[in-house]
């Protein structure tokens, strides 16, 4: 390999940290790391030489091979090239990408990927599925105690991946109710705020997406208990979650889900219609 390969430091291009409580994820990454080490040793390359060839720091190579870090796709592709693996190392990405996000996020994303109908009410922030990347970063950046850069990147990547729900075919039916105040808060500054409103306006025109705004001045409001999510699946089953009941845990018991459905239905009835909500968002855009 040539000596002018640019080395990417662990800070600039880290792998993701492994969640120690995720047994399946730990096993997958340990196996991938072991295979990488065995292939490197099989071609007679020591870690310093390999690290220089792939353009990453030695410490990162040791951590990935030891199962302590989740490698990014670029790392696997470069390793495949350097080791002459003929695509076998790159193919490990199919397993790695399933465990690159925290277990809790993966479980949520899996449910969202299977649902044919989703009802989602948010009262603190714009729902994660509706957020722009800039908005996400501004929210995570304001959190205390502060997230590390690596934690920030992992959470943003996980949230962006969940937006694939808008590209599914057949398209699921998606219903969102947002508190008016979540649209009025200029998270990230004026330009980030404006682009977030533009995304809401754009998504609100999709045939399978309904976005409604709950006016702040609404006198009767059954959503004061917090977030509500109801997901329905092809087999007729459903899962619900709310901050205001069942200790915030997802529930699948039909009676409990029905309570959340009734509550969400009332919130939708009290909110502005989708057409009125789009008009309000357009008005906000005109004022930014």
């Amino acid at each position: 390999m040539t000596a002018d390969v640019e080395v990417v430091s662990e800070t600039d291009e880290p792998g993701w940290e492994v969640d120690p409580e995720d047994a399946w994820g730990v096993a997958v990454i340990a196996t991938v790391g072991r295979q990488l080490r065995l292939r490197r040793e099989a071609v007679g390359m020591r870690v310093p030489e390999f690290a220089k060839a792939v353009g990453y720091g030695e410490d990162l190579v040791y951590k990935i091979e030891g199962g302590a870090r989740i490698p990014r796709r670029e790392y696997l592709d470069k390793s495949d090239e350097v080791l002459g693996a003929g695509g076998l190392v790159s193919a490990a990405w199919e397993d790695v990408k399933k465990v690159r996000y925290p277990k809790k996020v993966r479980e949520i994303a899996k449910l969202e990927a299977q649902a044919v109908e989703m009802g989602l009410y948010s009262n603190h922030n714009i729902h994660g599925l509706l957020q722009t990347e800039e908005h996400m970063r501004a929210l995570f950046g304001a959190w205390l105690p502060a997230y590390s850069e690596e934690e920030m990147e992992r959470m943003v990547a996980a949230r962006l991946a969940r937006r694939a729900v808008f590209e599914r075919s057949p398209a699921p039916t998606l219903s969102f109710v947002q508190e008016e105040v979540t649209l009025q808060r200029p998270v990230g500054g004026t330009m980030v705020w404006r682009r977030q409103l533009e995304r809401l306006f754009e998504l609100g025109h999709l045939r399978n997406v309904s976005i409604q705004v709950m006016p702040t001045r609404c006198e009767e409001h059954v959503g004061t208990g917090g977030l509500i999510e109801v997901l329905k699946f092809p087999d007729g089953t459903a899962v619900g979650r709310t901050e205001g009941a069942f200790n915030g845990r997802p529930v699948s018991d039909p009676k409990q889900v029905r309570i959340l459905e009734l509550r969400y239905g009332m919130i939708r009835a009290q909110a502005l219609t989708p057409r009125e909500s789009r008009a309000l968002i357009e008005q906000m855009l005109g004022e930014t």
Side-chain angles (χ1 to χ4, degrees), residues 215-256:
T216 301
R217 295 180 63 86
C218 182
E219 295 181 2
E220 296 183 8
H221 189 353
V222 300
T224 54
L227 171 147
I228 294 177
E229 297 180 343
V230 179
L231 280 63
K232 299 182 180 180
F233 306 102
D235 62 0
T237 60
V239 170
R241 184 168 71 92
T242 178
E243 294 173 337
F246 318 123
N247 296 318
R249 297 191 303 269
V251 295
S252 56
D253 179 88
K255 291 183 179 179
Q256 295 175 331

Side-chain angles (χ1 to χ4, degrees), residues 137-144 152:
R137 292 184 181 280
L139 282 179
F140 291 142
W143 192 260
L144 291 175
M152 171 93 74

Side-chain angles (χ1 to χ4, degrees), residues 60-111:
L60 182 61
V61 173
Y62 279 118
K63 287 181 178 179
I64 288 176
E65 291 187 357
R69 282 293 181 93
I70 304 175
R72 294 179 185 268
R73 185 171 192 168
E74 306 87 75
Y75 181 94
L76 293 174
D77 288 343
K78 189 63 179 178
S79 297
D80 191 284
E81 177 186 335
V82 170
L83 297 173
L88 293 178
V89 170
S90 292
W93 176 249
E94 292 304 311
D95 293 319
V96 171
K97 70 180 182 181
K98 298 174 183 177
V99 300
R100 57 182 165 160
Y101 305 132
K103 183 179 180 181
K104 181 179 179 180
V105 175
R106 291 206 311 271
E107 291 172 347
I108 293 173
K110 183 178 180 180
L111 291 174

Side-chain angles (χ1 to χ4, degrees), residues 3-185:
D4 59 352
V5 174
E6 180 181 358
V7 176
V8 182
S9 72
E10 189 173 350
T11 301
D12 294 333
E13 188 68 27
W16 294 282
E17 290 185 354
V18 178
D19 182 355
E21 297 183 0
D22 181 5
W24 179 59
V26 168
V28 168
I29 299 308
T31 299
V32 170
R34 187 182 309 112
Q35 291 301 317
L36 281 168
R37 177 176 58 79
L38 291 174
R39 285 185 176 277
R40 174 180 59 76
E41 293 175 345
V43 299
M45 295 185 76
R46 300 177 66 84
V47 168
E49 179 187 3
F50 177 74
K52 184 176 182 181
V54 296
Y56 289 84
E58 293 179 27
D59 188 50
L60 182 61
V61 173
Y62 279 118
K63 287 181 178 179
I64 288 176
E65 291 187 357
R69 282 293 181 93
I70 304 175
R72 294 179 185 268
R73 185 171 192 168
E74 306 87 75
Y75 181 94
L76 293 174
D77 288 343
K78 189 63 179 178
S79 297
D80 191 284
E81 177 186 335
V82 170
L83 297 173
L88 293 178
V89 170
S90 292
W93 176 249
E94 292 304 311
D95 293 319
V96 171
K97 70 180 182 181
K98 298 174 183 177
V99 300
R100 57 182 165 160
Y101 305 132
K103 183 179 180 181
K104 181 179 179 180
V105 175
R106 291 206 311 271
E107 291 172 347
I108 293 173
K110 183 178 180 180
L111 291 174
E112 291 173 345
Q114 296 172 344
V116 294
E117 183 178 339
M118 288 192 277
L120 308 160
Y121 164 67
S122 299
N123 65 345
H124 297 310
N125 294 302
I126 291 173
H127 194 279
L129 291 176
L130 299 175
Q131 293 173 9
T132 65
E133 181 175 347
E134 295 166 304
H135 187 98
M136 297 174 197
R137 292 184 181 280
L139 282 179
F140 291 142
W143 192 260
L144 291 175
Y147 290 120
S148 68
E149 191 65 30
E150 181 171 323
E151 290 171 329
M152 171 93 74
E153 291 303 318
R154 191 178 188 188
M155 289 187 297
V156 169
R159 186 162 290 184
L160 287 173
R162 288 172 56 201
R163 297 197 318 193
V165 69
F166 292 108
E167 302 169 4
R168 279 175 45 197
S169 181
T173 299
L174 305 175
S175 167
F176 298 87
V177 179
Q178 286 289 152
E179 284 293 330
E180 183 180 0
V181 67
T182 66
L183 277 62
Q184 295 174 328
R185 186 175 296 120

